[in-house]
């Protein structure tokens, strides 16, 4: 089941709708860039696209077993991608639900992915259970570069919309920032006391948020990455995911205790 919430500023979040279509647990949710559609992925190996006006399912994509884990919308909204337990990224057309690409990245479980666009070039980043981050040109269906900086499984990746940067978070308690065009490590974001399970750029590419099993949420200013800008207490045993609102004024987190928390940012 997917729960949809109203996150109006200065108000307690309220549930708007419960979306029921999957037969097994939901492992990933994404909202299209225009906010018109919701994408959900489940252990039933299906992707479902929902209309945010009617909350009705408008498309169902059936993936093979073990071929659907975290799923994301492309910036153009023309396709969606999902990573698999078999080391592949599968890309599907939103229009007809057909698979349009099948890109082999690694020989192990791909645990997370992110899609983005810089200078009209489309990229996809994914992290695997062996501590590697892979960046793909998904229009060309090829891996552009890979990084092996982490010593534990990579739980989170996020692509910047403003530069050729990817941030990753790992079970090794660290987050790394890489430039995938120059193949350079830009910064080590340290300070978490346990797994980093979430890492996300804001839509402006000016701030990074990281979180994990601490369960502290740390915000990093791109102009000064030597230390976090501030820390927010998520008040749960683990933060499994987080995201900024389009203006970067609010931050939402999902916790192990099944809680949704929304922070208004200064």
């Amino acid at each position: 089941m997917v729960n949809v919430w109203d996150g109006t500023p200065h108000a307690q979040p309220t549930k708007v709708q419960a979306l029921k279509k999957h037969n097994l647990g939901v492992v990933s949710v994404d909202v299209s860039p225009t906010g018109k559609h919701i994408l959900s992925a489940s252990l039933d190996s299906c992707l479902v696209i929902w209309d945010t006006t009617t909350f009705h399912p408008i498309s169902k994509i059936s993936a093979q077993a073990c071929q659907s884990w975290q799923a994301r919308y492309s910036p153009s909204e023309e396709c969606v991608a999902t990573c698999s337990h078999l080391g592949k990224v599968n890309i599907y057309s939103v229009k007809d639900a057909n698979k349009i690409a099948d890109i082999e990245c690694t020989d192990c479980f791909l645990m997370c992915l992110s899609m983005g666009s810089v200078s009209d070039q489309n990229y996809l980043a994914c992290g695997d259970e062996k501590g590697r981050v892979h960046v793909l040109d998904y229009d060309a269906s090829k891996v552009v570069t890979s990084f092996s900086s982490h010593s534990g499984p990579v739980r989170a990746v996020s692509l910047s919309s403003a530069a050729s940067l990817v941030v990753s978070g790992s079970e090794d308690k660290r987050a790394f920032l890489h430039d995938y065009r120059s193949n350079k490590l830009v910064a080590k974001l340290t300070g978490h006391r346990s797994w980093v399970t979430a890492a996300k750029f804001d839509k402006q590419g000016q701030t990074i948020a990281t979180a994990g099993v601490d369960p502290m949420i740390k915000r990093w200013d791109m102009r000064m990455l030597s230390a976090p800008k501030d820390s927010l207490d998520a008040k749960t045993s683990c933060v499994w995911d987080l995201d900024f609102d389009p203006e970067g004024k609010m931050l939402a987190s999902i916790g192990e205790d099944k809680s949704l928390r929304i922070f208004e940012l200064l």
Side-chain angles (χ1 to χ4, degrees):
M1 182 171 64
V2 177
N3 291 322
V4 181
W5 298 78
D6 182 346
T8 301
H10 314 300
Q12 184 71 17
T14 54
K15 187 188 291 187
V16 176
Q17 191 78 24
L19 310 180
K20 301 178 181 179
K21 189 70 174 176
H22 292 288
N23 297 321
L24 295 173
V26 174
V27 293
S28 176
V29 176
D30 193 28
V31 178
S32 66
T34 59
K36 294 180 179 180
H37 301 107
I38 295 169
L39 170 68
S40 59
S42 166
L43 294 173
D44 61 12
S45 299
C46 288
L47 308 177
V48 178
I49 297 175
W50 310 80
D51 186 291
T52 55
T53 301
T54 64
F55 296 115
H56 292 159
I58 59 174
S59 181
K60 184 177 181 180
I61 300 170
S62 297
Q64 295 177 343
C66 300
Q67 291 289 338
S68 174
W69 189 244
Q70 197 168 82
R72 292 290 183 262
Y73 256 100
S74 68
S76 68
E77 302 190 21
E78 294 178 353
C79 63
V80 297
T82 182
C83 52
S84 78
H85 291 65
L86 305 178
K88 293 183 178 181
V89 171
N90 299 303
I91 301 177
Y92 299 89
S93 167
V94 170
K95 183 178 180 179
D96 57 19
N98 289 329
K99 184 186 287 188
I100 56 178
D102 181 339
I103 311 170
E104 188 167 346
C105 294
T106 183
D107 58 353
C108 61
F109 181 15
L110 289 174
M111 307 181 75
C112 52
L113 67 79
S114 173
M115 301 186 82
S117 179
V118 176
S119 302
D120 296 325
Q121 185 73 40
N122 295 317
Y123 292 98
L124 183 152
C126 50
D128 71 28
E129 64 179 339
K130 293 184 178 180
R132 297 170 298 198
V133 176
H134 312 278
V135 179
L136 292 69
D137 176 340
Y138 64 83
D139 289 330
S141 297
K142 67 177 183 180
V143 177
V144 175
T145 189
S146 297
F147 304 104
S148 301
S149 301
H150 288 290
S151 58
V154 177
R155 289 274 179 173
V157 291
S158 179
L159 287 164
S160 170
S161 61
S164 56
L165 299 172
V166 57
V167 62
S168 56
S170 168
E171 291 181 17
D172 64 9
K173 308 179 186 179
R174 297 176 295 175
F176 288 136
L177 183 65
H178 286 95
D179 186 315
Y180 54 83
R181 286 182 174 169
S182 66
N183 288 324
K184 291 182 179 179
L185 175 63
V186 177
K188 298 179 181 180
L189 310 180
T190 60
H192 285 287
R193 300 188 303 272
S194 190
W195 295 4
V196 178
T197 52
K200 199 69 62 80
F201 275 101
D202 67 0
K203 302 303 183 289
Q204 295 73 32
Q206 298 174 353
T207 304
I208 296 170
T210 59
V213 183
D214 301 23
M216 300 302 294
I217 298 172
K218 298 183 183 295
R219 285 198 299 157
W220 307 81
D221 190 320
M222 288 297 296
R223 297 168 297 183
M224 187 179 66
L225 293 168
S226 57
K229 176 182 179 180
D230 57 23
S231 296
L232 307 169
D233 187 354
K235 301 183 184 301
T236 181
S237 59
C238 175
V239 176
W240 282 114
D241 206 358
L242 51 74
D243 204 356
F244 291 92
D245 76 313
E247 289 77 34
K249 296 180 179 179
M250 296 192 296
L251 182 69
S253 69
I254 293 294
E256 177 72 18
D257 59 357
K258 302 181 181 179
S259 65
L260 167 69
R261 288 181 170 84
I262 297 179
F263 301 88
E264 294 187 36
L265 307 175
L266 299 176

